[in-house]
Amino acid sequence: MKLNHINLCTSNVPALSSLLEKHFGFVLEETRGQHAFAQLTGMDGMTLILMDMSKTPQPYPRNFHIGFILDDPQEVRARHASLCADGYLPGPVEVMTRGRDRWTLFYHPAGDDLLIEVSAQEPA
């Protein structure tokens, strides 16, 4: 069985779509309605569906997030710098231990209580 897609709700479909395209490598495949729907595909074939929730806002549960794992901690720092250069305010880059492994990561608030985690495992 293969996970086919993830549906994310947002009050600003174009803004979240633009963020995912520019900073996370997604390609916009389709839009519908007046900023009501966007389908994006990631480099690995993952599909994200963005749907407008501005008429019935529902916050994401505490600690809900989507995560992107990169190959190298320097890529995490570069992604962080790219977001900052575009005027976004991602959280600080941190190095933390998870189990026996050390990870470099940051969380970026993407609006509507949605967090994006960007991480890479530290070399052993």
Side-chain angles (χ1 to χ4, degrees):
M1 182 180 319
K2 177 182 175 184
L3 178 62
N4 176 269
H5 69 277
I6 295 175
N7 188 95
L8 299 174
C9 296
T10 178
S11 62
N12 193 333
V13 171
L16 184 54
S17 179
S18 178
L19 170 73
L20 292 165
E21 288 176 83
K22 185 168 186 179
H23 295 282
F24 296 97
F26 281 82
V27 174
L28 180 63
E29 302 288 346
E30 178 183 358
T31 60
R32 292 186 211 149
Q34 187 73 5
H35 308 298
F37 174 96
Q39 178 180 328
L40 299 105
T41 303
M43 291 180 280
D44 64 350
M46 175 63 178
T47 298
L48 282 178
I49 304 295
L50 307 180
M51 294 182 74
D52 179 46
M53 71 167 183
S54 60
K55 292 182 178 127
T56 57
Q58 298 288 317
Y60 284 101
R62 186 171 178 259
N63 296 323
F64 177 83
H65 65 279
I66 60 173
F68 296 101
I69 296 177
L70 302 175
D71 293 327
D72 182 274
Q74 286 307 102
E75 291 180 57
V76 173
R77 290 180 178 85
R79 193 70 44 111
H80 188 272
S82 175
L83 286 163
C84 290
D86 270 1
Y88 291 103
L89 300 171
V93 175
E94 303 176 53
V95 177
M96 63 176 49
T97 301
R98 291 180 171 169
R100 293 183 216 157
D101 301 319
R102 292 182 53 77
W103 291 79
T104 298
L105 60 95
F106 69 89
Y107 290 92
H108 175 64
D112 302 310
D113 296 322
L114 175 64
L115 284 176
I116 297 174
E117 177 185 339
V118 180
S119 61
Q121 188 172 353
E122 289 281 323

